[in-house]
Amino acid sequence: MRFMMSWASAFRLRQYVKASLWISPLLGLVLGVVLAELAITADTTDWPPSGWRYSATTASSVLSSIVGSMIALLGFVVTIGVLVIQQATGTLSPRYMRLWYRDRLQKTVLATFTGTFAFAFSLLRSIESSSVPDLGVTLAGGAVAVSLLLLLVYLNRFTHNLRPVAIADLVGRMGEDVFERGIGAVRAATPDSGADAGRPGGRTAVVRATRGGAIQALDTAGLVAVAARHGCVLSVPHMIGDYVHRGALLVEVHGGTSRPDDQYVTGCIALGPERTIEQDPAFALRVLVDIAIRALSPAVNDPTTAVQVLNHIESFLTVVGQSALPGKYVLASDDGMPRLVLKGRAWESYLQLAVSEIRDYGATSLQVCRRLRALLDGLLDSLPPTHHPAVRAESHLLRESVERAFADAARRSTAYTADSQGVGGNSQPGA
């Protein structure tokens, strides 16, 4: 058991594999060699038809051309990747790059190119004056056609999907999905009685971090199981996304018949150099806000992009606001006993993250002020009354910001008029 990989290590390994740009091409390289051997073995005198047979010179020329072209295309895709990194980092958000590295289409294109290269190169060694792998040469031509088609799809996708509004739509939907999955898992594990964990017997032990990093994810099932096994309650005083330094308090142990193994407990909490979106929907909101305020910087000065991002921020806040957010979650074991206490993010935190920086950076923009007013009015209309005080507080802060930024009454009135398009949509005079 001591040599088994912990859940946190397995999580970090999965994150590395998802973000890696070399593993998929390596698999394509190996698969190309294997398929070449199979093609040589399957090549018979009865197939392919006579019209698809090649001389040794022709086959060698065709395969050599394929090898050279695949290397050139691979370099072309890598060049595009470098340009994408520069563009996304400069005009969008560096946080988005973590998601771009994981794009499956990009990895498929790289794997197809390396696989076709390995396939054609492996066939070259089997060409003799009296023996030509006709089937393999034909399949290599088909692989080139597939590679070119994937290249066109790849270019089309990144031409359209690297626009800020397309990225905002992607990140917003990812954040909504993560939130809904997380809140559903918490509800399923809530004690039937709804009783608080109560911290039986007070804090009896603490588990400290053995390494520093941001909390990327928690193995809640593993933490609940170990707490049930030792008859205790575990409390995590940090939210997912918090940074903890080495030696910092990581988990509190309350009560129990024995103390859980510290190494096992720390192995249920994945720490890494930066936040991830897997269990942290607020990180998706952070990326959306970063894109909006980058558009509002004096160097870019593109308030329309900020308004478009606010559309997706409003959608995200509407999804989050439909659920009760108590700020603390209690998870139970199979016997219904509370075993794990997690610190949650309150509705006010989501709302403040979503609008405060955009309000400050866009204080002098008519578009942004009007769209923010429409966003807050929309939340008042769609969310339960328990969330209204926080929304009204943000609306009051927006009014004060408008009054400071616009000197004359007429412009203040215009800036504080709700408009779902920023300027040009259906507007209602401000209260």
Side-chain angles (χ1 to χ4, degrees):
M1 294 291 294
R2 184 169 51 184
F3 298 101
M4 291 181 62
M5 181 180 293
S6 67
W7 182 89
S9 298
F11 178 85
R12 286 191 291 268
L13 179 61
R14 290 195 301 270
Q15 295 297 303
Y16 178 79
V17 171
K18 289 180 180 180
S20 173
L21 293 178
W22 65 269
I23 294 180
S24 293
L26 178 61
L27 294 177
L29 199 69
V30 174
L31 183 60
V33 174
V34 172
L35 291 178
E37 294 297 329
L38 294 176
I40 294 173
T41 303
D43 203 13
T44 65
T45 57
D46 298 329
W47 204 96
S50 58
W52 290 93
R53 296 191 183 278
Y54 310 89
S55 66
T57 303
T58 302
S60 178
S61 300
V62 169
L63 294 177
S64 298
S65 299
I66 291 175
V67 169
S69 62
M70 287 301 105
I71 294 177
L73 288 176
L74 189 62
F76 177 66
V77 172
V78 172
T79 302
I80 292 177
V82 173
L83 294 176
V84 167
I85 292 175
Q86 292 177 344
Q87 176 186 353
T89 302
T91 61
L92 299 172
S93 168
R95 264 65 61 186
Y96 169 69
M97 298 314 303
R98 185 177 181 87
L99 303 178
W100 181 82
Y101 292 144
R102 303 180 177 206
D103 185 77
R104 294 179 180 177
L105 176 60
Q106 179 174 232
K107 295 180 180 181
T108 301
V109 169
L110 294 174
T112 303
F113 288 179
T114 57
T116 303
F117 162 80
F119 184 80
F121 189 82
S122 298
L123 289 176
L124 276 172
R125 67 178 178 81
S126 65
I127 296 178
E128 299 177 359
S129 58
S130 60
S131 175
V132 177
D134 298 310
L135 175 61
V137 175
T138 302
L139 292 178
V144 171
V146 172
S147 299
L148 293 176
L149 179 61
L150 283 175
L151 177 62
L152 294 176
V153 174
Y154 173 81
L155 293 174
N156 177 77
R157 176 167 179 173
F158 281 102
T159 299
H160 294 86
N161 288 7
L162 274 180
R163 295 173 297 123
V165 64
I167 293 174
D169 178 64
L170 171 65
V171 175
R173 285 187 284 107
M174 290 178 63
E176 294 171 10
D177 292 341
V178 170
F179 176 82
E180 291 177 337
R181 288 199 306 269
I183 204 70
V186 168
R187 288 171 178 168
T190 301
D192 295 336
S193 60
D196 186 80
R199 299 187 178 183
R203 191 174 78 177
T204 59
V206 297
V207 178
R208 298 192 177 275
T210 57
R211 54 175 292 177
I215 299 178
Q216 296 180 330
L218 301 174
D219 179 17
T220 55
L223 291 171
V224 168
V226 71
R229 189 160 56 246
H230 293 274
C232 64
V233 175
L234 300 180
S235 176
V236 181
H238 306 284
M239 290 186 294
I240 295 179
D242 286 353
Y243 186 91
V244 295
H245 59 81
R246 182 177 180 180
L249 172 64
L250 192 61
V251 178
E252 297 177 348
V253 183
H254 301 276
T257 56
S258 59
R259 175 170 177 167
D261 179 63
D262 287 8
Q263 185 176 357
Y264 182 87
V265 173
T266 56
C268 292
I269 302 177
L271 302 178
E274 60 179 332
R275 297 166 66 179
T276 66
I277 202 172
E278 272 71 17
Q279 294 185 12
D280 187 6
F283 183 61
L285 186 57
R286 175 73 269 171
V287 175
L288 292 176
V289 173
D290 284 349
I291 296 173
I293 62 179
R294 182 69 64 92
L296 293 172
S297 67
V300 179
N301 194 25
D302 184 12
T304 302
T305 293
V307 168
Q308 291 175 323
V309 174
L310 281 170
N311 296 336
H312 300 281
I313 290 178
E314 181 176 6
S315 175
F316 181 92
L317 291 175
T318 302
V319 171
V320 172
Q322 299 297 333
S323 302
L325 302 174
K328 182 176 71 173
Y329 303 98
V330 181
L331 278 64
S333 54
D334 293 337
D335 58 5
M337 294 295 295
R339 293 301 181 189
L340 179 62
V341 180
L342 300 176
K343 186 177 181 181
R345 201 179 303 272
W347 160 251
E348 292 79 7
S349 297
Y350 281 106
L351 182 62
Q352 186 180 35
L353 171 61
V355 302
S356 60
E357 291 177 293
I358 298 178
R359 181 186 64 241
D360 292 340
Y361 283 97
T364 59
S365 171
L366 199 66
Q367 284 194 69
V368 174
C369 293
R370 290 165 67 98
R371 183 63 185 91
L372 276 174
R373 175 64 196 277
L375 182 151
L376 295 172
D377 288 351
L379 293 178
L380 288 174
D381 182 62
S382 60
L383 298 186
T386 53
H387 293 333
H388 287 185
V391 179
R392 291 195 178 97
E394 292 296 334
S395 183
H396 178 71
L397 291 175
L398 177 62
R399 174 186 287 276
E400 292 182 343
S401 178
V402 168
E403 291 176 350
R404 289 193 300 268
F406 297 91
D408 57 283
R411 294 192 67 199
R412 281 199 303 269
S413 177
T414 302
Y416 201 61
T417 300
D419 191 338
S420 58
Q421 294 184 17
V423 174
N426 294 327
S427 58
Q428 301 266 340

